[in-house]
Amino acid sequence: MQLLRVFVFSWLPVFCTLSAQAPGGWPQFRGNAQLTGVATPALPAALALRWTYETGEPVGSSAAIADGVVYIGSAKGELLAIDLESGKLRWKYATGPDGFIESSSPAVGRDAVFIGDLTGTMHAVNARDGSRLWTFKTDSEVKSSPVVVGDLVLIGSYDMHLYALDSHTGKVRWKLQTDGPVHATPAVQNGVMYLAGCDERFRAVRLADGKVLFEMRLGAYVGASTAIAGDRAYVGTFNSEVLALDVRARKILWRYRDPSREFPYYSSAALVDGRVIVGGRDKAIHAIDAASGKGVWKFVTRARVDSSPAVAGGRVYVGSSDGKLYVLDAATGTKQWEFDAGDAITASPAIAAGRLVIGSQDGRIYCFG
């Protein structure tokens, strides 16, 4: 399931996004509000394991990194703040009974960290000491990751709504009703939120008041989040396709379908150097030409790839359910390095300050640099 967005309206207010507040950081799922999955500083050519942290339960949440701290959720129902350099725990926040964190990933604001759980609760936590600031209860599970835009926090719920909450109080500013669970994380650009979802629709929504500016029928269920660049949005579907959408013309530009195998795409795409890089449940990572929709290269793993790739310094970093973290050359798809965690990696890499952080289903958080 999922959300997506992309459209530039010159007359709309431009919101200050969180990614602009944290240069070199990775403050939310996919690194920035456009969900492009790209980190500016490169990582060392030869990665070394710097530390591990044992959570005691599987980690499907992807990390956020800000101001030298790693924030990440675990299936134990805990939001953890870990020192990026040393791997030492700074604080631990418990969501409460049955508040398991499955795939929701933290978003970091100026003074707060936000995350959702399977009881349907959104938590705002003090970034300094892990104390509770406020909670907001939806009517079903929250697997979507929050996005902070100015003084708004956006979060989707399986109750078929996307909520825009006041980041200071947790009060609802507006909410958007859809025709299916809201699983994906919304993308934001120039005052507009873009969302593709389980109801097979793609919507552009004005942040100021929640007004739907337009919607498109995709003809397929979507579980991935959309990446946006300029007037184009890119997202994979459960109909075994990756779509490129022109949000100005409001039409589908191209459909990519692997000619040899047909499996759903749950991974969210990274956008770099004119290419769309995405994992598939066909066990492969695909690089697609963003202009034409033609395949450029494909790297095959031993299990499905639900992890969303991150790109830094000309390399692609992505996990696989075969238990490995892969590093690929972004231009050719050639494998440059791998690490075997011994259990499925469904979370996505976070990259900041010369470090890569990722969780695994083995209950460990790994930091490389």
Side-chain angles (χ1 to χ4, degrees):
M1 314 150 199
Q2 197 128 328
L3 305 121
L4 313 182
R5 22 340 205 190
V6 181
F7 202 141
V8 178
F9 295 89
S10 60
W11 48 268
L12 289 174
V14 177
F15 285 71
C16 177
T17 63
L18 178 63
S19 56
Q21 300 169 8
W26 193 277
Q28 66 157 76
F29 181 61
R30 310 304 292 133
N32 56 57
Q34 294 76 44
L35 309 187
T36 59
V38 176
T40 302
L43 290 171
L47 290 181
L49 181 62
R50 299 293 180 177
W51 52 260
T52 61
Y53 183 89
E54 299 270 358
T55 72
E57 293 291 342
V59 180
S61 172
S62 301
I65 304 173
D67 299 322
V69 183
V70 176
Y71 301 96
I72 192 167
S74 83
K76 196 174 182 179
E78 294 177 335
L79 172 64
L80 307 171
I82 302 169
D83 185 84
L84 177 61
E85 184 61 30
S86 67
K88 301 292 175 110
L89 182 70
R90 290 198 177 186
W91 52 255
K92 182 188 299 184
Y93 169 86
T95 57
D98 302 319
F100 309 116
I101 299 171
E102 184 180 275
S103 57
S104 185
S105 302
V108 186
R110 287 186 177 88
D111 301 307
V113 185
F114 305 91
I115 197 166
D117 69 28
L118 295 188
T119 69
T121 304
M122 166 75 112
H123 301 263
V125 181
N126 190 309
R128 291 187 298 274
D129 59 14
S131 60
R132 178 173 296 177
L133 297 175
W134 53 259
T135 60
F136 174 80
K137 188 73 166 64
T138 74
D139 291 329
S140 191
E141 299 172 331
V142 173
K143 298 182 182 181
S144 173
S145 299
V147 176
V148 181
V149 189
D151 62 353
L152 289 182
V153 182
L154 307 174
I155 189 68
S157 170
Y158 272 46
D159 68 6
M160 299 192 292
H161 288 84
L162 183 132
Y163 297 88
L165 308 177
D166 185 291
S167 64
H168 304 294
T169 66
K171 302 296 184 184
V172 177
R173 294 274 196 88
W174 54 261
K175 63 181 180 180
L176 171 72
Q177 183 170 3
T178 71
D179 294 323
V182 180
H183 178 84
T185 299
V188 176
Q189 182 174 264
N190 294 336
V192 180
M193 181 197 79
Y194 300 93
L195 176 67
C198 302
D199 60 3
E200 304 185 359
R201 296 177 189 174
F202 175 88
R203 293 177 175 87
V205 180
R206 190 163 60 199
L207 280 180
D209 55 10
K211 176 181 172 58
V212 176
L213 300 172
F214 71 86
E215 65 177 51
M216 298 169 56
R217 292 189 176 274
L218 301 180
Y221 169 97
V222 178
S225 299
T226 300
I228 297 177
D231 291 341
R232 292 194 175 188
Y234 304 90
V235 66
T237 78
F238 270 67
N239 193 32
S240 306
E241 295 180 322
V242 178
L243 306 179
L245 311 175
D246 185 322
V247 298
R248 185 173 293 279
R250 307 180 187 183
K251 67 179 183 180
I252 296 174
L253 292 174
W254 51 253
R255 300 174 181 266
Y256 168 82
R257 184 182 289 270
D258 188 293
S260 58
R261 305 186 71 187
E262 294 191 359
F263 284 84
Y265 291 91
Y266 182 79
S267 167
S268 301
L271 307 180
V272 65
D273 297 333
R275 291 179 180 176
V276 180
I277 300 175
V278 63
R281 289 192 166 175
D282 61 351
K283 306 180 181 180
I285 298 103
H286 300 255
I288 307 163
D289 183 83
S292 67
K294 304 296 184 183
V296 178
W297 56 256
K298 180 170 71 172
F299 176 84
V300 178
T301 75
R302 295 181 178 180
R304 68 187 191 183
V305 181
D306 284 348
S307 175
S308 300
V311 181
R315 297 182 182 91
V316 177
Y317 302 84
V318 63
S320 170
S321 290
D322 67 9
K324 292 183 178 181
L325 171 68
Y326 292 96
V327 181
L328 312 176
D329 183 278
T332 65
T334 304
K335 183 176 73 175
Q336 298 190 332
W337 184 82
E338 67 179 40
F339 173 82
D340 192 349
D343 204 345
I345 299 176
T346 59
S348 305
I351 299 173
R355 297 288 187 266
L356 180 150
V357 179
I358 194 167
S360 169
Q361 295 295 306
D362 68 357
R364 294 183 179 94
I365 300 163
Y366 297 90
C367 177
F368 303 90

Short mmCIF file of all heavy atoms in Angstrom, two decimals, residues 230-288:
data_model
loop_
_atom_site.label_atom_id
_atom_site.label_comp_id
_atom_site.label_asym_id
_atom_site.label_seq_id
_atom_site.Cartn_x
_atom_site.Cartn_y
_atom_site.Cartn_z
N GLY A 230 11.20 17.05 -9.84
CA GLY A 230 10.59 17.99 -10.77
C GLY A 230 9.14 17.65 -11.02
O GLY A 230 8.34 17.51 -10.10
N ASP A 231 8.79 17.50 -12.29
CA ASP A 231 7.42 17.20 -12.67
C ASP A 231 7.13 15.71 -12.79
O ASP A 231 6.09 15.32 -13.31
CB ASP A 231 7.09 17.86 -14.01
CG ASP A 231 7.03 19.37 -13.91
OD1 ASP A 231 6.87 19.87 -12.77
OD2 ASP A 231 7.15 20.05 -14.94
N ARG A 232 8.07 14.87 -12.33
CA ARG A 232 7.89 13.43 -12.49
C ARG A 232 7.89 12.70 -11.16
O ARG A 232 8.66 13.02 -10.26
CB ARG A 232 8.98 12.85 -13.39
CG ARG A 232 8.86 13.32 -14.83
CD ARG A 232 9.70 12.50 -15.76
NE ARG A 232 9.49 12.87 -17.15
CZ ARG A 232 9.99 12.21 -18.18
NH1 ARG A 232 10.77 11.15 -17.97
NH2 ARG A 232 9.75 12.59 -19.41
N ALA A 233 7.03 11.70 -11.08
CA ALA A 233 6.95 10.82 -9.92
C ALA A 233 7.16 9.39 -10.39
O ALA A 233 6.76 9.02 -11.51
CB ALA A 233 5.60 10.97 -9.25
N TYR A 234 7.80 8.58 -9.55
CA TYR A 234 8.13 7.20 -9.92
C TYR A 234 7.72 6.27 -8.78
O TYR A 234 8.04 6.51 -7.62
CB TYR A 234 9.63 7.06 -10.17
CG TYR A 234 10.16 8.01 -11.22
CD1 TYR A 234 10.62 9.27 -10.86
CD2 TYR A 234 10.20 7.65 -12.56
CE1 TYR A 234 11.12 10.15 -11.80
CE2 TYR A 234 10.69 8.53 -13.53
CZ TYR A 234 11.15 9.78 -13.14
OH TYR A 234 11.64 10.66 -14.09
N VAL A 235 7.03 5.17 -9.14
CA VAL A 235 6.59 4.24 -8.11
C VAL A 235 6.34 2.87 -8.72
O VAL A 235 5.88 2.75 -9.86
CB VAL A 235 5.32 4.75 -7.41
CG1 VAL A 235 4.13 4.81 -8.35
CG2 VAL A 235 5.02 3.96 -6.15
N GLY A 236 6.65 1.82 -7.95
CA GLY A 236 6.36 0.46 -8.37
C GLY A 236 5.00 0.02 -7.88
O GLY A 236 4.47 0.55 -6.90
N THR A 237 4.41 -0.96 -8.55
CA THR A 237 3.07 -1.43 -8.21
C THR A 237 3.07 -2.95 -8.01
O THR A 237 4.02 -3.65 -8.34
CB THR A 237 2.06 -1.10 -9.32
OG1 THR A 237 2.21 -2.03 -10.41
CG2 THR A 237 2.25 0.32 -9.83
N PHE A 238 1.93 -3.44 -7.48
CA PHE A 238 1.77 -4.89 -7.32
C PHE A 238 1.30 -5.54 -8.62
O PHE A 238 1.06 -6.74 -8.66
CB PHE A 238 0.80 -5.18 -6.17
CG PHE A 238 1.50 -5.30 -4.84
CD1 PHE A 238 2.12 -4.21 -4.26
CD2 PHE A 238 1.57 -6.52 -4.19
CE1 PHE A 238 2.77 -4.32 -3.05
CE2 PHE A 238 2.23 -6.65 -2.98
CZ PHE A 238 2.84 -5.55 -2.40
N ASN A 239 1.20 -4.76 -9.68
CA ASN A 239 0.91 -5.30 -11.00
C ASN A 239 2.21 -5.53 -11.78
O ASN A 239 2.21 -5.55 -13.01
CB ASN A 239 -0.01 -4.36 -11.78
CG ASN A 239 -0.60 -5.02 -13.03
OD1 ASN A 239 -0.84 -6.22 -13.05
ND2 ASN A 239 -0.81 -4.22 -14.07
N SER A 240 3.32 -5.66 -11.05
CA SER A 240 4.64 -5.99 -11.63
C SER A 240 5.17 -4.91 -12.55
O SER A 240 5.87 -5.19 -13.52
CB SER A 240 4.57 -7.33 -12.38
OG SER A 240 4.06 -8.34 -11.55
N GLU A 241 4.82 -3.64 -12.26
CA GLU A 241 5.28 -2.53 -13.09
C GLU A 241 5.89 -1.43 -12.23
O GLU A 241 5.53 -1.25 -11.07
CB GLU A 241 4.12 -1.92 -13.88
CG GLU A 241 3.51 -2.84 -14.92
CD GLU A 241 2.36 -2.16 -15.66
OE1 GLU A 241 1.59 -1.41 -15.01
OE2 GLU A 241 2.22 -2.39 -16.87
N VAL A 242 6.81 -0.68 -12.83
CA VAL A 242 7.26 0.58 -12.28
C VAL A 242 6.72 1.67 -13.20
O VAL A 242 6.87 1.59 -14.43
CB VAL A 242 8.79 0.66 -12.20
CG1 VAL A 242 9.24 2.02 -11.67
CG2 VAL A 242 9.34 -0.47 -11.33
N LEU A 243 6.08 2.68 -12.62
CA LEU A 243 5.43 3.73 -13.39
C LEU A 243 6.18 5.05 -13.26
O LEU A 243 6.69 5.39 -12.19
CB LEU A 243 4.00 3.95 -12.92
CG LEU A 243 3.07 2.73 -12.87
CD1 LEU A 243 1.70 3.15 -12.36
CD2 LEU A 243 2.96 2.08 -14.24
N ALA A 244 6.22 5.79 -14.36
CA ALA A 244 6.66 7.19 -14.35
C ALA A 244 5.45 8.05 -14.65
O ALA A 244 4.76 7.85 -15.66
CB ALA A 244 7.74 7.42 -15.39
N LEU A 245 5.16 9.01 -13.75
CA LEU A 245 4.00 9.87 -13.90
C LEU A 245 4.44 11.31 -14.15
O LEU A 245 5.34 11.81 -13.48
CB LEU A 245 3.15 9.83 -12.63
CG LEU A 245 2.80 8.44 -12.07
CD1 LEU A 245 2.08 8.58 -10.75
CD2 LEU A 245 1.98 7.66 -13.06
N ASP A 246 3.81 11.95 -15.12
CA ASP A 246 4.00 13.38 -15.34
C ASP A 246 2.92 14.10 -14.55
O ASP A 246 1.74 14.04 -14.90
CB ASP A 246 3.90 13.70 -16.83
CG ASP A 246 4.22 15.16 -17.14
OD1 ASP A 246 3.83 16.04 -16.34
OD2 ASP A 246 4.86 15.43 -18.17
N VAL A 247 3.32 14.80 -13.47
CA VAL A 247 2.31 15.39 -12.61
C VAL A 247 1.80 16.73 -13.12
O VAL A 247 0.78 17.23 -12.65
CB VAL A 247 2.84 15.55 -11.17
CG1 VAL A 247 3.17 14.18 -10.59
CG2 VAL A 247 4.05 16.45 -11.12
N ARG A 248 2.51 17.29 -14.08
CA ARG A 248 2.00 18.52 -14.70
C ARG A 248 0.95 18.17 -15.76
O ARG A 248 -0.13 18.75 -15.80
CB ARG A 248 3.14 19.33 -15.31
CG ARG A 248 2.69 20.69 -15.86
CD ARG A 248 3.87 21.52 -16.30
NE ARG A 248 4.70 21.91 -15.18
CZ ARG A 248 4.44 22.93 -14.36
NH1 ARG A 248 3.34 23.64 -14.51
NH2 ARG A 248 5.26 23.23 -13.37
N ALA A 249 1.28 17.21 -16.61
CA ALA A 249 0.34 16.78 -17.65
C ALA A 249 -0.71 15.80 -17.10
O ALA A 249 -1.71 15.52 -17.76
CB ALA A 249 1.09 16.13 -18.80
N ARG A 250 -0.45 15.25 -15.90
CA ARG A 250 -1.36 14.32 -15.25
C ARG A 250 -1.60 13.07 -16.09
O ARG A 250 -2.72 12.66 -16.36
CB ARG A 250 -2.69 15.00 -14.90
CG ARG A 250 -2.52 16.28 -14.09
CD ARG A 250 -3.84 16.93 -13.75
NE ARG A 250 -3.61 18.25 -13.14
CZ ARG A 250 -4.57 19.03 -12.67
NH1 ARG A 250 -5.83 18.64 -12.77
NH2 ARG A 250 -4.29 20.20 -12.14
N LYS A 251 -0.49 12.44 -16.46
CA LYS A 251 -0.59 11.23 -17.26
C LYS A 251 0.58 10.30 -16.95
O LYS A 251 1.61 10.73 -16.40
CB LYS A 251 -0.60 11.56 -18.75
CG LYS A 251 0.71 12.15 -19.27
CD LYS A 251 0.63 12.43 -20.76
CE LYS A 251 1.96 12.95 -21.30
NZ LYS A 251 1.88 13.21 -22.75
N ILE A 252 0.41 9.03 -17.29
CA ILE A 252 1.48 8.05 -17.14
C ILE A 252 2.39 8.15 -18.36
O ILE A 252 1.93 8.04 -19.50
CB ILE A 252 0.91 6.63 -16.99
CG1 ILE A 252 0.07 6.53 -15.71
CG2 ILE A 252 2.02 5.60 -16.98
CD1 ILE A 252 -0.65 5.22 -15.53
N LEU A 253 3.68 8.37 -18.12
CA LEU A 253 4.65 8.53 -19.21
C LEU A 253 5.14 7.20 -19.74
O LEU A 253 5.28 7.01 -20.94
CB LEU A 253 5.84 9.36 -18.73
CG LEU A 253 5.57 10.82 -18.42
CD1 LEU A 253 6.81 11.46 -17.81
CD2 LEU A 253 5.16 11.56 -19.68
N TRP A 254 5.46 6.31 -18.82
CA TRP A 254 5.91 4.98 -19.24
C TRP A 254 5.65 3.96 -18.15
O TRP A 254 5.42 4.29 -17.00
CB TRP A 254 7.36 4.94 -19.69
CG TRP A 254 8.42 5.52 -18.80
CD1 TRP A 254 9.10 6.68 -18.99
CD2 TRP A 254 8.97 4.95 -17.59
NE1 TRP A 254 10.03 6.88 -17.99
CE2 TRP A 254 9.97 5.83 -17.12
CE3 TRP A 254 8.71 3.79 -16.85
CZ2 TRP A 254 10.71 5.60 -15.96
CZ3 TRP A 254 9.44 3.55 -15.69
CH2 TRP A 254 10.42 4.44 -15.26
N ARG A 255 5.65 2.70 -18.58
CA ARG A 255 5.50 1.56 -17.68
C ARG A 255 6.67 0.62 -17.93
O ARG A 255 6.89 0.19 -19.07
CB ARG A 255 4.19 0.81 -17.93
CG ARG A 255 2.93 1.64 -17.72
CD ARG A 255 1.71 0.85 -18.14
NE ARG A 255 0.47 1.61 -17.98
CZ ARG A 255 -0.30 1.57 -16.90
NH1 ARG A 255 0.03 0.77 -15.89
NH2 ARG A 255 -1.40 2.28 -16.84
N TYR A 256 7.41 0.32 -16.89
CA TYR A 256 8.50 -0.65 -17.00
C TYR A 256 8.03 -1.99 -16.48
O TYR A 256 7.49 -2.09 -15.38
CB TYR A 256 9.72 -0.19 -16.20
CG TYR A 256 10.78 -1.27 -16.03
CD1 TYR A 256 11.71 -1.51 -17.03
CD2 TYR A 256 10.84 -2.05 -14.87
CE1 TYR A 256 12.67 -2.50 -16.88
CE2 TYR A 256 11.80 -3.03 -14.71
CZ TYR A 256 12.71 -3.25 -15.71
OH TYR A 256 13.67 -4.24 -15.56
N ARG A 257 8.24 -3.02 -17.27
CA ARG A 257 7.92 -4.38 -16.87
C ARG A 257 9.07 -5.28 -17.29
O ARG A 257 9.47 -5.27 -18.47
CB ARG A 257 6.61 -4.84 -17.53
CG ARG A 257 6.15 -6.23 -17.08
CD ARG A 257 4.88 -6.62 -17.82
NE ARG A 257 3.73 -5.84 -17.36
CZ ARG A 257 2.93 -6.21 -16.36
NH1 ARG A 257 3.16 -7.33 -15.70
NH2 ARG A 257 1.91 -5.45 -16.02
N ASP A 258 9.63 -6.03 -16.35
CA ASP A 258 10.73 -6.93 -16.69
C ASP A 258 10.24 -7.96 -17.70
O ASP A 258 9.22 -8.62 -17.47
CB ASP A 258 11.24 -7.62 -15.43
CG ASP A 258 12.51 -8.41 -15.68
OD1 ASP A 258 12.45 -9.42 -16.41
OD2 ASP A 258 13.56 -8.03 -15.14
N PRO A 259 10.94 -8.11 -18.82
CA PRO A 259 10.44 -9.01 -19.86
C PRO A 259 10.53 -10.48 -19.49
O PRO A 259 9.87 -11.32 -20.10
CB PRO A 259 11.37 -8.70 -21.05
CG PRO A 259 12.61 -8.13 -20.44
CD PRO A 259 12.16 -7.39 -19.22
N SER A 260 11.34 -10.82 -18.48
CA SER A 260 11.56 -12.24 -18.17
C SER A 260 10.78 -12.73 -16.95
O SER A 260 10.46 -13.91 -16.85
CB SER A 260 13.06 -12.52 -17.95
OG SER A 260 13.57 -11.71 -16.91
N ARG A 261 10.47 -11.81 -16.01
CA ARG A 261 9.79 -12.24 -14.79
C ARG A 261 8.80 -11.17 -14.35
O ARG A 261 9.06 -9.98 -14.50
CB ARG A 261 10.80 -12.50 -13.66
CG ARG A 261 11.89 -13.49 -14.03
CD ARG A 261 12.75 -13.80 -12.83
NE ARG A 261 12.03 -14.59 -11.85
CZ ARG A 261 12.52 -14.88 -10.63
NH1 ARG A 261 13.68 -14.39 -10.26
NH2 ARG A 261 11.82 -15.62 -9.80
N GLU A 262 7.67 -11.60 -13.78
CA GLU A 262 6.65 -10.66 -13.33
C GLU A 262 6.38 -10.87 -11.84
O GLU A 262 5.76 -11.88 -11.46
CB GLU A 262 5.37 -10.80 -14.15
CG GLU A 262 5.56 -10.40 -15.61
CD GLU A 262 4.24 -10.28 -16.36
OE1 GLU A 262 3.18 -10.54 -15.73
OE2 GLU A 262 4.27 -9.93 -17.54
N PHE A 263 6.85 -9.93 -11.02
CA PHE A 263 6.64 -9.96 -9.58
C PHE A 263 6.34 -8.53 -9.11
O PHE A 263 6.74 -7.56 -9.74
CB PHE A 263 7.88 -10.49 -8.86
CG PHE A 263 8.05 -11.99 -8.95
CD1 PHE A 263 8.66 -12.56 -10.06
CD2 PHE A 263 7.60 -12.81 -7.93
CE1 PHE A 263 8.82 -13.94 -10.15
CE2 PHE A 263 7.75 -14.19 -8.02
CZ PHE A 263 8.36 -14.76 -9.12
N PRO A 264 5.66 -8.39 -7.97
CA PRO A 264 5.33 -7.05 -7.46
C PRO A 264 6.57 -6.26 -7.04
O PRO A 264 7.63 -6.83 -6.74
CB PRO A 264 4.45 -7.35 -6.24
CG PRO A 264 3.95 -8.73 -6.44
CD PRO A 264 5.04 -9.46 -7.16
N TYR A 265 6.39 -4.94 -7.00
CA TYR A 265 7.40 -4.03 -6.47
C TYR A 265 6.86 -3.41 -5.18
O TYR A 265 5.84 -2.72 -5.19
CB TYR A 265 7.72 -2.92 -7.48
CG TYR A 265 8.45 -3.42 -8.70
CD1 TYR A 265 7.75 -3.82 -9.83
CD2 TYR A 265 9.84 -3.50 -8.72
CE1 TYR A 265 8.39 -4.29 -10.96
CE2 TYR A 265 10.51 -3.98 -9.85
CZ TYR A 265 9.78 -4.37 -10.96
OH TYR A 265 10.44 -4.84 -12.07
N TYR A 266 7.55 -3.69 -4.08
CA TYR A 266 7.19 -3.12 -2.78
C TYR A 266 8.24 -2.10 -2.34
O TYR A 266 7.95 -1.18 -1.58
CB TYR A 266 7.08 -4.25 -1.76
CG TYR A 266 6.68 -3.83 -0.38
CD1 TYR A 266 5.35 -3.56 -0.07
CD2 TYR A 266 7.63 -3.72 0.64
CE1 TYR A 266 4.97 -3.18 1.21
CE2 TYR A 266 7.26 -3.34 1.92
CZ TYR A 266 5.93 -3.08 2.21
OH TYR A 266 5.57 -2.70 3.47
N SER A 267 9.45 -2.27 -2.81
CA SER A 267 10.55 -1.35 -2.54
C SER A 267 10.25 0.03 -3.14
O SER A 267 9.64 0.14 -4.20
CB SER A 267 11.83 -1.93 -3.16
OG SER A 267 12.88 -1.00 -3.22
N SER A 268 10.69 1.08 -2.44
CA SER A 268 10.55 2.45 -2.96
C SER A 268 11.82 2.82 -3.72
O SER A 268 12.93 2.47 -3.32
CB SER A 268 10.32 3.43 -1.80
OG SER A 268 9.15 3.08 -1.09
N ALA A 269 11.66 3.56 -4.80
CA ALA A 269 12.77 3.81 -5.72
C ALA A 269 13.70 4.91 -5.24
O ALA A 269 13.29 5.84 -4.53
CB ALA A 269 12.22 4.19 -7.10
N ALA A 270 14.96 4.82 -5.66
CA ALA A 270 15.94 5.89 -5.51
C ALA A 270 16.13 6.53 -6.89
O ALA A 270 16.06 5.84 -7.92
CB ALA A 270 17.26 5.36 -4.98
N LEU A 271 16.39 7.84 -6.91
CA LEU A 271 16.55 8.57 -8.16
C LEU A 271 17.95 9.18 -8.19
O LEU A 271 18.28 10.01 -7.34
CB LEU A 271 15.51 9.68 -8.29
CG LEU A 271 14.05 9.26 -8.11
CD1 LEU A 271 13.14 10.48 -8.26
CD2 LEU A 271 13.66 8.17 -9.10
N VAL A 272 18.76 8.81 -9.19
CA VAL A 272 20.10 9.36 -9.28
C VAL A 272 20.61 9.26 -10.70
O VAL A 272 20.40 8.26 -11.39
CB VAL A 272 21.06 8.62 -8.30
CG1 VAL A 272 21.24 7.17 -8.70
CG2 VAL A 272 22.40 9.34 -8.18
N ASP A 273 21.24 10.33 -11.16
CA ASP A 273 21.90 10.35 -12.48
C ASP A 273 20.99 9.87 -13.61
O ASP A 273 21.41 9.11 -14.50
CB ASP A 273 23.19 9.50 -12.45
CG ASP A 273 24.21 10.06 -11.47
OD1 ASP A 273 24.19 11.27 -11.22
OD2 ASP A 273 25.03 9.26 -10.96
N GLY A 274 19.74 10.32 -13.59
CA GLY A 274 18.82 9.97 -14.67
C GLY A 274 18.34 8.54 -14.64
O GLY A 274 17.83 8.03 -15.66
N ARG A 275 18.47 7.88 -13.48
CA ARG A 275 18.03 6.50 -13.36
C ARG A 275 17.12 6.31 -12.16
O ARG A 275 17.25 6.99 -11.15
CB ARG A 275 19.23 5.56 -13.26
CG ARG A 275 20.01 5.50 -14.57
CD ARG A 275 21.21 4.60 -14.49
NE ARG A 275 21.92 4.58 -15.77
CZ ARG A 275 23.05 3.94 -15.99
NH1 ARG A 275 23.62 3.25 -15.00
NH2 ARG A 275 23.61 3.98 -17.17
N VAL A 276 16.21 5.35 -12.31
CA VAL A 276 15.32 4.92 -11.24
C VAL A 276 15.82 3.56 -10.78
O VAL A 276 15.88 2.63 -11.57
CB VAL A 276 13.86 4.81 -11.74
CG1 VAL A 276 12.94 4.37 -10.63
CG2 VAL A 276 13.41 6.13 -12.36
N ILE A 277 16.20 3.46 -9.50
CA ILE A 277 16.76 2.21 -8.99
C ILE A 277 15.83 1.67 -7.92
O ILE A 277 15.52 2.35 -6.94
CB ILE A 277 18.17 2.44 -8.43
CG1 ILE A 277 19.08 2.98 -9.55
CG2 ILE A 277 18.75 1.13 -7.87
CD1 ILE A 277 20.47 3.37 -9.10
N VAL A 278 15.37 0.42 -8.11
CA VAL A 278 14.32 -0.11 -7.25
C VAL A 278 14.49 -1.61 -7.08
O VAL A 278 14.94 -2.31 -7.99
CB VAL A 278 12.93 0.24 -7.83
CG1 VAL A 278 12.71 -0.41 -9.17
CG2 VAL A 278 11.81 -0.10 -6.86
N GLY A 279 14.11 -2.12 -5.89
CA GLY A 279 14.12 -3.55 -5.66
C GLY A 279 12.80 -4.18 -6.02
O GLY A 279 11.75 -3.53 -6.00
N GLY A 280 12.83 -5.47 -6.35
CA GLY A 280 11.62 -6.18 -6.74
C GLY A 280 11.47 -7.49 -5.99
O GLY A 280 12.44 -8.04 -5.47
N ARG A 281 10.27 -7.99 -5.97
CA ARG A 281 10.04 -9.31 -5.37
C ARG A 281 10.43 -10.43 -6.32
O ARG A 281 10.23 -11.61 -6.01
CB ARG A 281 8.59 -9.42 -4.89
CG ARG A 281 8.35 -8.54 -3.68
CD ARG A 281 7.05 -8.78 -2.96
NE ARG A 281 7.08 -8.14 -1.65
CZ ARG A 281 6.06 -8.08 -0.81
NH1 ARG A 281 4.89 -8.62 -1.16
NH2 ARG A 281 6.18 -7.50 0.36
N ASP A 282 11.02 -10.07 -7.45
CA ASP A 282 11.63 -11.05 -8.35
C ASP A 282 13.07 -11.34 -7.93
O ASP A 282 13.83 -11.95 -8.69
CB ASP A 282 11.59 -10.55 -9.79
CG ASP A 282 12.35 -9.24 -9.98
OD1 ASP A 282 12.77 -8.63 -8.98
OD2 ASP A 282 12.53 -8.83 -11.14
N LYS A 283 13.45 -10.89 -6.74
CA LYS A 283 14.79 -11.10 -6.15
C LYS A 283 15.85 -10.19 -6.74
O LYS A 283 17.05 -10.40 -6.52
CB LYS A 283 15.24 -12.56 -6.28
CG LYS A 283 14.27 -13.58 -5.74
CD LYS A 283 14.80 -14.99 -5.92
CE LYS A 283 13.79 -16.02 -5.41
NZ LYS A 283 14.31 -17.41 -5.57
N ALA A 284 15.45 -9.16 -7.48
CA ALA A 284 16.43 -8.35 -8.22
C ALA A 284 16.33 -6.87 -7.86
O ALA A 284 15.29 -6.38 -7.41
CB ALA A 284 16.24 -8.54 -9.72
N ILE A 285 17.46 -6.18 -8.11
CA ILE A 285 17.49 -4.72 -8.09
C ILE A 285 17.55 -4.28 -9.54
O ILE A 285 18.37 -4.77 -10.32
CB ILE A 285 18.70 -4.18 -7.30
CG1 ILE A 285 18.60 -4.61 -5.83
CG2 ILE A 285 18.75 -2.66 -7.38
CD1 ILE A 285 19.50 -5.75 -5.49
N HIS A 286 16.66 -3.35 -9.91
CA HIS A 286 16.55 -2.90 -11.29
C HIS A 286 16.98 -1.43 -11.40
O HIS A 286 16.60 -0.60 -10.58
CB HIS A 286 15.10 -3.00 -11.78
CG HIS A 286 14.53 -4.37 -11.73
ND1 HIS A 286 14.36 -5.15 -12.86
CD2 HIS A 286 14.10 -5.14 -10.68
CE1 HIS A 286 13.84 -6.32 -12.51
NE2 HIS A 286 13.67 -6.33 -11.20
N ALA A 287 17.74 -1.12 -12.45
CA ALA A 287 18.04 0.26 -12.80
C ALA A 287 17.34 0.56 -14.12
O ALA A 287 17.52 -0.16 -15.12
CB ALA A 287 19.55 0.48 -12.94
N ILE A 288 16.53 1.62 -14.12
CA ILE A 288 15.68 1.96 -15.27
C ILE A 288 16.02 3.37 -15.72
O ILE A 288 16.18 4.28 -14.89
CB ILE A 288 14.19 1.89 -14.87
CG1 ILE A 288 13.87 0.53 -14.23
CG2 ILE A 288 13.29 2.16 -16.06
CD1 ILE A 288 12.57 0.52 -13.46
#
